[in-house]
Amino acid sequence: MYNFEFYNPTRIFFGKNKIEVIDKNIPATARVLITFGGGSAKRSGLIDKIRTILGDREVIEFGGIEPNPRYETLIKAVDVVRSEKIDYILAVGGGSVIDGTKFITLASNYNGDPSDLLKFGFRSISLDVVSKVVPFGTVLTLPATGSEMNDGAVISFEHGKFPVMCELAFPRFSVLDPTITFTLPKIQVANGIVDTFIHTVEQYITYPVDAKVQDRLAEGLLQTLIEIGETTVAEPENYDARANLVWSATMALNGIVGVGVPQDWTTHMIGHELTALFGIDHGQTLAIVYPALLEVRRDKKRTKLLQYADRVWHISGGSEDEKIELAILKTRSFFESLGIKTHLSDYGVTADKIDLIVEQLGEHGLTALSETGDLTLDISRAILVKAF
Ligand code: NZQ
Ligand code: ZN
């Protein structure tokens, strides 16, 4: 196991009706900005309920944060935070609203051009660059990204999606009430399962470093998703299935699975380009790229793939190559069983667009991906060809 440091200050409130806790966790005198998306939280009555819980506090709303939140939208909220002297933000939504809120709070306290904050990539923005933020909490409405308990955000700007990380961007608290997610369309639930699955495997199917706890945590998450996946898509109000999805999603990307182990974020990096170019949902892009990536990288990932075949899918018969083949097939079938298509061509993308995708990866400096940095643009191209 590699050396590591672990820090996560987000307080979690999990369960039915936990939303009441926001009263005690936001100062009584705070001027609160509620950030939200395209309207689902309004239509469900969630925002009204939150306003009631906030009581006499001064509350301002900023809605319209779109999926794959755009810089131009978020900058408008930065103006509101500054002009209205906001001292607490409450993000009500999925990954896009929470990520957008992280960017809003960082940019509100940055003195230069806020687009500078998009240039750090996976390097954490230091306290010399942004030294304080407006504190924020979240009410999660979509289990998928883990943004409710991590310090990362992904922001859309011009023709790309840019990761932003900063330890000041951890939510102070997050409310995880599975019943709030009952109104999700089936496709978003399926996207969330795939996103959680891929976050887990990108920190697990690399090469072994004898990290037994992290491996078994990852295997537990994957087995949970396989066990509850179809049920929670088919039965949106099955509380137990949904509760297990919500906690899996948070656990998959709050840092715990990934400590002290190699990580391979290739699928996310290629997936971000597919969203930026063609508007394909984040979860769907991952279901397109990952099975193809495993096909192309099966030798590099051989030992962990065999462990995955054995411990996650319980494949015992056949040669090693056959076990790996079957594990890849089962992975693809799992995504398809949730209603998510796994080929680029299923989304109307034509083969001639592969050049453009590779070009964009190059433009964004994504030329040495994977757990060892050996994944060149030519290998990305091979993955995209397989994914077609
Ligand atoms: O905007 P509204 O009207 O609220 O509708 C949303 C949106 O259209 C809807 N929705 C959310 N909760 C709902 C609901 N509809 C009905 N009932 C509810 N309870 O769902 C749609 C998608 O929402 P979005 O927030 O975009 O989805 P998700 O949570 O999957 O977030 C995706 C974003 O997160 C980024 C992705 O790149 C993408 O931009 N990621 C963030 C990460 C992080 N911060 O660590 C890691 C991830 O890998 C990911 O990259
Ligand atoms: Zn993701």
Side-chain angles (χ1 to χ4, degrees), residues 344-369:
L344 256 183
S345 50
D346 295 324
Y347 297 84
V349 178
T350 48
D352 59 310
K353 293 290 191 308
I354 290 177
D355 283 345
L356 178 62
I357 305 166
V358 175
E359 206 173 286
Q360 287 296 101
L361 284 165
E363 197 137 303
H364 296 137
L366 302 170
T367 55
L369 298 170

Side-chain angles (χ1 to χ4, degrees), residues 144-145 194-196 198-199 202 253 265 268 272 282-283 286:
T145 63
V194 173
D195 198 17
T196 305
I198 301 294
H199 292 156
E202 290 199 293
L253 205 55
W265 293 97
H268 267 74
H272 286 169
H282 176 64
L286 308 174

Side-chain angles (χ1 to χ4, degrees), residues 37-40 43 65 67-69 94-97 99 102 141-142 144-145 147 150 152-154 161 180-181 183-185 188 195 199 253 268 272 282:
S40 72
R43 287 191 297 277
I65 298 178
N68 311 301
S96 295
V97 170
D99 283 11
K102 290 174 179 176
T141 65
L142 194 171
T145 63
S147 189
N150 69 35
V154 185
K161 289 188 76 174
I180 290 176
T181 75
T183 52
L184 278 166
Q188 294 300 345
D195 198 17
H199 292 156
L253 205 55
H268 267 74
H272 286 169
H282 176 64

Side-chain angles (χ1 to χ4, degrees), residues 123-153:
R123 278 176 300 137
S124 197
I125 295 173
S126 73
L127 301 183
D128 300 336
V129 179
V130 181
S131 57
K132 66 175 174 57
V133 293
V134 178
F136 74 100
T138 87
V139 176
L140 182 73
T141 65
L142 194 171
T145 63
S147 189
E148 65 279 7
M149 198 179 173
N150 69 35
D151 67 349

